[in-house]
Amino acid sequence: MRFDDRMELRVGRDADSDIEVDRPFVSRHHARIVCRRQAFWLYDESSNGTFVRNEDETVVYVHRRSVRLWGSGWISFGEPLTADSVVSFSHVE
């Protein structure tokens, strides 16, 4: 999928989400992934938060705030990063 600046995807349990994630701790409208000025941002809008591990392998817990997604890494919606809970991402120029 190719992103244009100002494009956004909605992530959640809701069937109307752009990315539907069927996990126990995922909110119906959990987060948004937004492209702004050629950078990707995750905006958490959930009750349980989101765990993000970027390319430097630092894990960040985000709850009702935003974090920049850079390089490649993993996202876990509503629960800590485990093999069963993660979604991978990779920014390719």
Side-chain angles (χ1 to χ4, degrees):
M1 174 181 289
R2 184 150 174 83
F3 267 83
D4 295 322
D5 210 31
R6 313 231 10 116
M7 185 179 199
E8 78 176 52
L9 294 173
R10 296 209 170 265
V11 181
R13 266 188 304 110
D14 194 285
D16 290 336
S17 298
D18 298 305
I19 301 172
E20 189 175 354
V21 180
D22 187 22
R23 298 284 302 168
F25 298 104
V26 175
S27 299
R28 285 185 319 117
H29 303 285
H30 197 95
R32 293 178 296 129
I33 298 174
V34 180
C35 182
R36 296 284 186 268
R37 294 185 212 149
Q38 300 177 349
F40 293 95
W41 292 83
L42 181 136
Y43 291 85
D44 179 83
E45 300 173 342
S46 71
S47 299
N48 296 317
T50 302
F51 291 84
V52 176
R53 187 176 86 188
N54 279 313
E55 195 165 283
D56 67 354
E57 298 193 10
T58 301
V59 176
V60 177
Y61 174 71
V62 183
H63 185 240
R64 300 197 183 258
R65 55 191 180 99
S66 62
V67 64
R68 183 170 177 240
L69 304 175
W70 58 274
S72 59
W74 303 92
I75 303 170
S76 182
F77 299 100
E79 57 190 304
L81 295 159
T82 66
D84 293 335
S85 71
V86 296
V87 174
S88 67
F89 68 87
S90 181
H91 179 80
V92 178
E93 301 271 338

